[in-house]
Coordinates of all heavy atoms in Angstrom, one line a residue:
R155 N 7.7 0.7 -18.9 CA 7.3 0.6 -20.3 C 8.2 -0.5 -21.0 O 7.8 -1.0 -22.1 CB 7.5 1.9 -21.0 CG 6.6 3.0 -20.5 CD 6.6 4.2 -21.5 NE 5.7 5.2 -21.0 CZ 4.3 5.2 -21.2 NH1 3.8 4.2 -21.9 NH2 3.6 6.2 -20.7
H156 N 9.3 -0.9 -20.4 CA 10.1 -1.9 -21.0 C 10.5 -2.9 -19.9 O 11.6 -3.0 -19.4 CB 11.4 -1.3 -21.6 CG 11.1 -0.2 -22.6 ND1 10.6 -0.5 -23.9 CD2 11.2 1.1 -22.5 CE1 10.5 0.6 -24.6 NE2 10.8 1.6 -23.8
P157 N 9.5 -3.7 -19.5 CA 9.7 -4.6 -18.3 C 10.7 -5.7 -18.6 O 10.8 -6.2 -19.8 CB 8.3 -5.2 -18.1 CG 7.6 -5.1 -19.4 CD 8.1 -3.8 -20.0
N158 N 11.5 -6.0 -17.6 CA 12.4 -7.2 -17.8 C 11.6 -8.5 -17.5 O 10.4 -8.5 -17.3 CB 13.6 -7.0 -16.8 CG 13.1 -7.0 -15.3 OD1 12.2 -7.6 -14.9 ND2 13.9 -6.2 -14.5
A159 N 12.3 -9.6 -17.6 CA 11.7 -10.9 -17.5 C 11.0 -11.1 -16.2 O 9.9 -11.6 -16.1 CB 12.7 -12.0 -17.8
T160 N 11.6 -10.6 -15.1 CA 11.0 -10.7 -13.8 C 9.7 -9.9 -13.7 O 8.7 -10.4 -13.2 CB 12.0 -10.2 -12.7 OG1 13.2 -11.0 -12.7 CG2 11.4 -10.3 -11.3
E161 N 9.7 -8.7 -14.3 CA 8.5 -7.9 -14.2 C 7.4 -8.5 -15.1 O 6.2 -8.4 -14.7 CB 8.9 -6.5 -14.7 CG 9.8 -5.8 -13.7 CD 10.4 -4.5 -14.2 OE1 10.6 -4.4 -15.5 OE2 10.7 -3.6 -13.4
V162 N 7.8 -9.0 -16.2 CA 6.8 -9.6 -17.1 C 6.1 -10.8 -16.4 O 4.9 -10.9 -16.4 CB 7.4 -10.1 -18.4 CG1 6.4 -11.0 -19.2 CG2 7.8 -8.9 -19.3
A163 N 6.9 -11.6 -15.7 CA 6.3 -12.8 -15.0 C 5.5 -12.3 -13.9 O 4.4 -12.9 -13.6 CB 7.5 -13.7 -14.5
A164 N 5.9 -11.2 -13.2 CA 5.1 -10.7 -12.1 C 3.8 -10.2 -12.5 O 2.8 -10.4 -11.9 CB 5.9 -9.6 -11.3
R165 N 3.8 -9.5 -13.6 CA 2.5 -8.9 -14.2 C 1.6 -10.1 -14.5 O 0.4 -10.0 -14.1 CB 2.8 -8.1 -15.4 CG 3.4 -6.8 -15.2 CD 3.7 -6.0 -16.5 NE 4.3 -4.7 -16.2 CZ 4.5 -3.8 -17.2 NH1 4.3 -4.1 -18.5 NH2 5.1 -2.7 -16.9
A166 N 2.0 -11.1 -15.1 CA 1.1 -12.2 -15.4 C 0.6 -12.9 -14.2 O -0.6 -13.2 -14.1 CB 1.9 -13.3 -16.3
R167 N 1.4 -13.0 -13.2 CA 1.0 -13.6 -11.9 C 0.0 -12.7 -11.2 O -1.1 -13.2 -10.8 CB 2.2 -13.8 -11.0 CG 1.9 -14.6 -9.8 CD 3.2 -14.8 -9.0 NE 3.1 -15.8 -7.9 CZ 4.0 -16.1 -7.1 NH1 5.2 -15.6 -7.2 NH2 3.8 -17.1 -6.2
I168 N 0.2 -11.4 -11.2 CA -0.7 -10.5 -10.5 C -2.0 -10.4 -11.2 O -3.1 -10.2 -10.6 CB 0.0 -9.2 -10.2 CG1 1.2 -9.4 -9.3 CG2 -1.0 -8.2 -9.5 CD1 2.2 -8.3 -9.3
L169 N -2.0 -10.4 -12.5 CA -3.2 -10.4 -13.3 C -4.0 -11.6 -13.0 O -5.3 -11.6 -12.9 CB -2.9 -10.4 -14.8 CG -2.5 -9.0 -15.3 CD1 -1.9 -9.1 -16.8 CD2 -3.6 -8.0 -15.3
G170 N -3.4 -12.7 -12.7 CA -4.1 -13.9 -12.2 C -4.7 -13.7 -10.9 O -5.9 -14.1 -10.6
W171 N -4.0 -13.0 -10.0 CA -4.6 -12.6 -8.7 C -5.9 -11.7 -8.9 O -6.9 -11.9 -8.2 CB -3.6 -11.9 -7.8 CG -2.4 -12.7 -7.5 CD1 -2.2 -14.0 -7.7 CD2 -1.2 -12.1 -6.8 NE1 -0.9 -14.3 -7.2 CE2 -0.3 -13.2 -6.7 CE3 -0.8 -10.9 -6.4 CZ2 0.9 -13.1 -6.1 CZ3 0.4 -10.7 -5.8 CH2 1.3 -11.8 -5.7
C172 N -5.8 -10.8 -9.8 CA -6.9 -9.9 -10.1 C -8.1 -10.8 -10.5 O -9.3 -10.5 -10.1 CB -6.6 -8.9 -11.2 SG -5.4 -7.6 -10.6
A173 N -7.9 -11.8 -11.4 CA -8.9 -12.7 -11.8 C -9.5 -13.4 -10.6 O -10.8 -13.6 -10.5 CB -8.4 -13.6 -12.9
T174 N -8.7 -13.9 -9.7 CA -9.2 -14.6 -8.6 C -10.0 -13.7 -7.7 O -11.0 -14.2 -7.1 CB -8.0 -15.2 -7.8 OG1 -7.2 -16.1 -8.6 CG2 -8.4 -15.9 -6.5
L175 N -9.6 -12.5 -7.5 CA -10.3 -11.6 -6.7 C -11.5 -10.9 -7.3 O -12.4 -10.3 -6.6 CB -9.4 -10.5 -6.2 CG -8.3 -10.9 -5.2 CD1 -7.3 -9.8 -5.0 CD2 -8.9 -11.3 -3.9
A176 N -11.7 -11.0 -8.6 CA -12.7 -10.2 -9.3 C -14.1 -10.6 -8.8 O -15.0 -9.7 -8.7 CB -12.6 -10.5 -10.8
P177 N -14.4 -11.8 -8.4 CA -15.8 -12.1 -7.9 C -16.0 -11.5 -6.5 O -17.1 -11.5 -6.0 CB -15.8 -13.6 -7.8 CG -14.8 -14.1 -8.7 CD -13.7 -13.1 -8.6
D178 N -14.9 -11.0 -5.8 CA -15.1 -10.4 -4.5 C -15.9 -9.2 -4.6 O -15.5 -8.2 -5.3 CB -13.7 -10.2 -3.9 CG -13.7 -9.8 -2.4 OD1 -14.5 -9.1 -2.0 OD2 -12.7 -10.3 -1.7
R179 N -17.0 -9.1 -3.8 CA -17.9 -7.9 -4.0 C -17.5 -6.7 -3.1 O -18.1 -5.7 -3.2 CB -19.3 -8.3 -3.6 CG -19.9 -9.4 -4.5 CD -20.1 -8.9 -6.0 NE -18.9 -9.2 -6.8 CZ -18.8 -8.8 -8.1 NH1 -19.8 -8.1 -8.6 NH2 -17.7 -9.0 -8.7
D180 N -16.5 -6.9 -2.3 CA -16.1 -5.8 -1.4 C -15.6 -4.6 -2.3 O -14.8 -4.7 -3.2 CB -15.0 -6.2 -0.5 CG -14.7 -5.1 0.6 OD1 -14.0 -4.1 0.3 OD2 -15.1 -5.3 1.7
W181 N -16.1 -3.4 -1.9 CA -15.8 -2.2 -2.7 C -14.3 -1.9 -2.8 O -13.8 -1.6 -3.8 CB -16.5 -1.0 -2.1 CG -16.4 0.3 -2.9 CD1 -17.2 0.8 -3.9 CD2 -15.3 1.3 -2.8 NE1 -16.8 1.9 -4.4 CE2 -15.6 2.3 -3.8 CE3 -14.2 1.4 -2.0 CZ2 -14.8 3.4 -3.9 CZ3 -13.4 2.5 -2.2 CH2 -13.6 3.5 -3.1
F182 N -13.6 -2.1 -1.7 CA -12.2 -1.8 -1.6 C -11.4 -2.8 -2.5 O -10.4 -2.4 -3.1 CB -11.6 -1.8 -0.2 CG -12.0 -0.6 0.6 CD1 -13.0 -0.6 1.5 CD2 -11.3 0.6 0.4 CE1 -13.3 0.6 2.3 CE2 -11.5 1.7 1.1 CZ -12.6 1.7 2.0
I183 N -11.8 -4.0 -2.6 CA -11.2 -5.0 -3.4 C -11.4 -4.6 -4.9 O -10.5 -4.7 -5.7 CB -11.7 -6.4 -3.1 CG1 -11.3 -6.8 -1.7 CG2 -11.1 -7.4 -4.1 CD1 -9.8 -6.8 -1.4
Q184 N -12.7 -4.3 -5.2 CA -13.0 -3.9 -6.6 C -12.2 -2.7 -7.0 O -11.6 -2.6 -8.1 CB -14.5 -3.7 -6.7 CG -15.3 -4.9 -6.6 CD -15.3 -5.8 -7.8 OE1 -15.6 -5.3 -8.9 NE2 -15.1 -7.1 -7.7
K185 N -12.1 -1.7 -6.1 CA -11.3 -0.5 -6.4 C -9.8 -0.8 -6.6 O -9.2 -0.2 -7.5 CB -11.5 0.5 -5.2 CG -10.8 1.8 -5.4 CD -11.6 2.7 -6.4 CE -11.0 4.1 -6.5 NZ -11.7 4.9 -7.5
A186 N -9.3 -1.7 -5.8 CA -7.9 -2.1 -5.9 C -7.6 -2.8 -7.2 O -6.6 -2.5 -7.9 CB -7.4 -3.0 -4.7
I187 N -8.5 -3.7 -7.7 CA -8.3 -4.3 -9.0 C -8.3 -3.3 -10.1 O -7.5 -3.3 -11.0 CB -9.4 -5.4 -9.2 CG1 -9.3 -6.5 -8.2 CG2 -9.4 -5.9 -10.6 CD1 -10.5 -7.4 -8.2
A188 N -9.3 -2.4 -10.0 CA -9.4 -1.3 -11.0 C -8.1 -0.5 -11.0 O -7.6 -0.1 -12.1 CB -10.6 -0.5 -10.8
W189 N -7.6 -0.2 -9.9 CA -6.4 0.7 -9.7 C -5.2 0.0 -10.4 O -4.5 0.6 -11.2 CB -6.2 0.9 -8.2 CG -5.0 1.8 -7.9 CD1 -4.3 2.6 -8.7 CD2 -4.6 2.1 -6.5 NE1 -3.3 3.3 -8.0 CE2 -3.5 3.0 -6.6 CE3 -4.9 1.6 -5.3 CZ2 -2.8 3.4 -5.5 CZ3 -4.3 2.1 -4.2 CH2 -3.2 3.0 -4.3
W190 N -5.1 -1.3 -10.1 CA -3.9 -2.1 -10.6 C -4.0 -2.1 -12.2 O -3.1 -1.9 -12.9 CB -3.9 -3.5 -10.0 CG -2.5 -4.0 -10.0 CD1 -1.6 -4.0 -8.9 CD2 -1.8 -4.7 -11.0 NE1 -0.5 -4.6 -9.2 CE2 -0.5 -5.1 -10.5 CE3 -2.1 -5.1 -12.3 CZ2 0.4 -5.8 -11.3 CZ3 -1.2 -5.8 -13.1 CH2 0.1 -6.1 -12.6
L191 N -5.2 -2.4 -12.7 CA -5.4 -2.6 -14.1 C -5.2 -1.2 -14.8 O -4.6 -1.1 -15.9 CB -6.8 -3.1 -14.4 CG -7.0 -4.6 -14.0 CD1 -8.5 -4.9 -14.1 CD2 -6.1 -5.5 -14.8
R192 N -5.8 -0.2 -14.2 CA -5.6 1.2 -14.8 C -4.2 1.6 -14.9 O -3.8 2.1 -16.0 CB -6.4 2.2 -14.0 CG -6.5 3.6 -14.6 CD -7.1 4.6 -13.8 NE -6.3 4.9 -12.6 CZ -6.6 4.7 -11.4 NH1 -7.7 4.0 -11.0 NH2 -5.8 5.0 -10.4
E193 N -3.4 1.3 -13.9 CA -2.0 1.7 -13.9 C -1.3 0.9 -15.0 O -0.4 1.4 -15.7 CB -1.4 1.5 -12.5 CG -1.8 2.5 -11.5 CD -1.5 3.9 -11.9 OE1 -0.4 4.2 -12.3 OE2 -2.5 4.7 -11.9
L194 N -1.6 -0.4 -15.1 CA -0.9 -1.2 -16.1 C -1.3 -0.8 -17.5 O -0.5 -0.8 -18.4 CB -1.3 -2.7 -15.9 CG -0.6 -3.7 -16.9 CD1 0.9 -3.6 -16.8 CD2 -1.1 -5.1 -16.6
S195 N -2.6 -0.4 -17.7 CA -3.0 0.0 -19.0 C -2.3 1.2 -19.6 O -2.3 1.4 -20.8 CB -4.5 0.3 -19.0 OG -4.8 1.6 -18.3
K196 N -1.6 2.0 -18.7 CA -0.9 3.1 -19.2 C 0.4 2.7 -20.0 O 0.9 3.4 -20.8 CB -0.5 4.0 -18.1 CG -1.6 4.7 -17.3 CD -1.2 5.4 -16.1 CE -2.3 6.0 -15.3 NZ -1.9 6.7 -14.1
R197 N 0.9 1.5 -19.7 CA 2.1 1.0 -20.3 C 1.9 -0.3 -21.1 O 2.6 -0.6 -22.1 CB 3.2 0.7 -19.2 CG 3.8 1.9 -18.6 CD 3.1 2.2 -17.3 NE 3.5 3.4 -16.7 CZ 2.9 4.0 -15.6 NH1 1.9 3.4 -15.1 NH2 3.4 5.1 -15.2

Side-chain angles (χ1 to χ4, degrees):
R155 293 193 180 277
H156 304 286
N158 58 33
T160 298
E161 292 166 332
V162 169
R165 287 180 178 182
R167 188 177 193 181
I168 299 160
L169 285 169
W171 298 351
C172 289
T174 299
L175 289 171
D178 192 319
R179 299 293 90 184
D180 189 282
W181 186 91
F182 282 103
I183 297 299
Q184 292 282 309
K185 184 71 172 179
I187 295 170
W189 185 6
W190 208 94
L191 293 172
R192 186 186 71 246
E193 290 303 308
L194 182 60
S195 73
K196 297 174 183 177
R197 290 96 186 170

